[in-house]
Short mmCIF file of all heavy atoms in Angstrom, two decimals:
data_model
loop_
_atom_site.label_atom_id
_atom_site.label_comp_id
_atom_site.label_asym_id
_atom_site.label_seq_id
_atom_site.Cartn_x
_atom_site.Cartn_y
_atom_site.Cartn_z
N SER A 331 -10.41 47.71 16.35
CA SER A 331 -10.05 49.03 16.81
C SER A 331 -11.29 49.88 16.90
O SER A 331 -12.15 49.85 16.02
CB SER A 331 -9.06 49.68 15.84
OG SER A 331 -9.00 51.07 16.05
N ARG A 333 -11.34 52.91 16.49
CA ARG A 333 -11.17 54.05 15.62
C ARG A 333 -11.87 53.86 14.28
O ARG A 333 -12.19 54.82 13.59
CB ARG A 333 -9.66 54.26 15.33
CG ARG A 333 -8.88 54.70 16.53
CD ARG A 333 -8.90 56.17 16.70
NE ARG A 333 -8.30 56.85 15.56
CZ ARG A 333 -8.22 58.16 15.44
NH1 ARG A 333 -8.70 58.92 16.39
NH2 ARG A 333 -7.66 58.71 14.39
N CYS A 334 -12.11 52.63 13.88
CA CYS A 334 -12.71 52.40 12.57
C CYS A 334 -13.35 51.03 12.54
O CYS A 334 -13.00 50.14 13.28
CB CYS A 334 -11.66 52.51 11.48
SG CYS A 334 -10.21 51.50 11.76
N SER A 335 -14.30 50.86 11.64
CA SER A 335 -14.97 49.57 11.49
C SER A 335 -15.60 49.50 10.12
O SER A 335 -15.69 50.48 9.39
CB SER A 335 -16.04 49.40 12.58
OG SER A 335 -16.99 50.43 12.50
N GLY A 336 -16.02 48.32 9.77
CA GLY A 336 -16.75 48.15 8.53
C GLY A 336 -15.99 48.61 7.30
O GLY A 336 -14.79 48.43 7.17
N GLU A 337 -16.72 49.23 6.35
CA GLU A 337 -16.12 49.65 5.09
C GLU A 337 -15.06 50.72 5.30
O GLU A 337 -14.06 50.77 4.58
CB GLU A 337 -17.21 50.18 4.14
CG GLU A 337 -18.18 49.10 3.67
CD GLU A 337 -17.45 47.96 2.96
OE1 GLU A 337 -16.49 48.22 2.22
OE2 GLU A 337 -17.83 46.80 3.18
N GLN A 338 -15.24 51.59 6.30
CA GLN A 338 -14.24 52.61 6.57
C GLN A 338 -12.90 51.97 6.89
O GLN A 338 -11.85 52.38 6.39
CB GLN A 338 -14.68 53.49 7.74
CG GLN A 338 -13.63 54.56 8.09
CD GLN A 338 -13.95 55.27 9.39
OE1 GLN A 338 -14.87 54.90 10.10
NE2 GLN A 338 -13.18 56.29 9.69
N ALA A 339 -12.92 50.94 7.73
CA ALA A 339 -11.68 50.28 8.09
C ALA A 339 -11.04 49.62 6.88
O ALA A 339 -9.84 49.69 6.69
CB ALA A 339 -11.95 49.24 9.17
N ARG A 340 -11.86 48.98 6.06
CA ARG A 340 -11.31 48.27 4.90
C ARG A 340 -10.64 49.21 3.91
O ARG A 340 -9.70 48.85 3.23
CB ARG A 340 -12.44 47.49 4.21
CG ARG A 340 -12.99 46.34 5.05
CD ARG A 340 -14.14 45.64 4.32
NE ARG A 340 -14.60 44.50 5.09
CZ ARG A 340 -15.52 44.56 6.05
NH1 ARG A 340 -16.03 45.73 6.39
NH2 ARG A 340 -15.90 43.49 6.69
N SER A 341 -11.12 50.46 3.85
CA SER A 341 -10.61 51.37 2.85
C SER A 341 -9.52 52.30 3.37
O SER A 341 -8.77 52.87 2.59
CB SER A 341 -11.75 52.25 2.31
OG SER A 341 -12.29 53.04 3.33
N THR A 342 -9.38 52.43 4.71
CA THR A 342 -8.45 53.45 5.22
C THR A 342 -7.26 52.89 5.97
O THR A 342 -6.30 53.62 6.20
CB THR A 342 -9.18 54.41 6.18
OG1 THR A 342 -9.69 53.67 7.29
CG2 THR A 342 -10.31 55.12 5.47
N VAL A 343 -7.30 51.64 6.39
CA VAL A 343 -6.18 51.12 7.17
C VAL A 343 -5.72 49.79 6.62
O VAL A 343 -6.46 49.08 5.94
CB VAL A 343 -6.56 50.94 8.65
CG1 VAL A 343 -6.94 52.26 9.26
CG2 VAL A 343 -7.68 49.93 8.82
N HIS A 344 -4.48 49.46 6.94
CA HIS A 344 -3.97 48.15 6.58
C HIS A 344 -4.75 47.07 7.33
O HIS A 344 -5.05 47.20 8.50
CB HIS A 344 -2.49 48.04 6.97
CG HIS A 344 -1.98 46.64 6.94
ND1 HIS A 344 -1.70 45.98 5.78
CD2 HIS A 344 -1.74 45.78 7.95
CE1 HIS A 344 -1.28 44.76 6.07
NE2 HIS A 344 -1.28 44.62 7.38
N SER A 345 -5.05 46.01 6.68
CA SER A 345 -5.70 44.89 7.36
C SER A 345 -5.19 43.59 6.77
O SER A 345 -4.62 43.55 5.69
CB SER A 345 -7.22 44.97 7.20
OG SER A 345 -7.58 44.86 5.85
N TYR A 354 -7.46 45.21 12.38
CA TYR A 354 -7.39 46.62 12.05
C TYR A 354 -6.23 47.28 12.81
O TYR A 354 -5.98 46.97 13.96
CB TYR A 354 -8.70 47.32 12.43
CG TYR A 354 -9.91 46.77 11.72
CD1 TYR A 354 -11.04 46.43 12.43
CD2 TYR A 354 -9.89 46.58 10.35
CE1 TYR A 354 -12.16 45.92 11.79
CE2 TYR A 354 -11.00 46.07 9.69
CZ TYR A 354 -12.13 45.74 10.40
OH TYR A 354 -13.23 45.24 9.77
N THR A 355 -5.57 48.24 12.15
CA THR A 355 -4.36 48.82 12.75
C THR A 355 -4.34 50.35 12.69
O THR A 355 -3.29 50.94 12.55
CB THR A 355 -3.11 48.25 12.06
OG1 THR A 355 -3.18 48.56 10.66
CG2 THR A 355 -3.00 46.76 12.24
N ALA A 356 -5.46 51.00 12.78
CA ALA A 356 -5.49 52.47 12.76
C ALA A 356 -5.36 53.00 14.18
O ALA A 356 -6.32 53.41 14.80
CB ALA A 356 -6.78 52.96 12.13
N LEU A 357 -4.16 52.95 14.71
CA LEU A 357 -3.92 53.34 16.10
C LEU A 357 -2.67 54.22 16.15
O LEU A 357 -1.62 53.83 16.66
CB LEU A 357 -3.75 52.10 16.97
CG LEU A 357 -4.99 51.19 17.05
CD1 LEU A 357 -4.62 49.80 17.56
CD2 LEU A 357 -6.06 51.81 17.93
N PRO A 358 -2.75 55.45 15.62
CA PRO A 358 -1.55 56.29 15.47
C PRO A 358 -0.91 56.71 16.78
O PRO A 358 0.32 56.83 16.86
CB PRO A 358 -2.06 57.49 14.68
CG PRO A 358 -3.54 57.53 14.91
CD PRO A 358 -3.95 56.08 15.03
#
Side-chain angles (χ1 to χ4, degrees):
S331 163
R333 292 273 299 178
C334 52
S335 59
E337 293 303 321
Q338 178 190 7
R340 293 178 176 86
S341 63
T342 61
V343 298
H344 166 75
S345 63
Y354 300 130
T355 58
L357 297 162

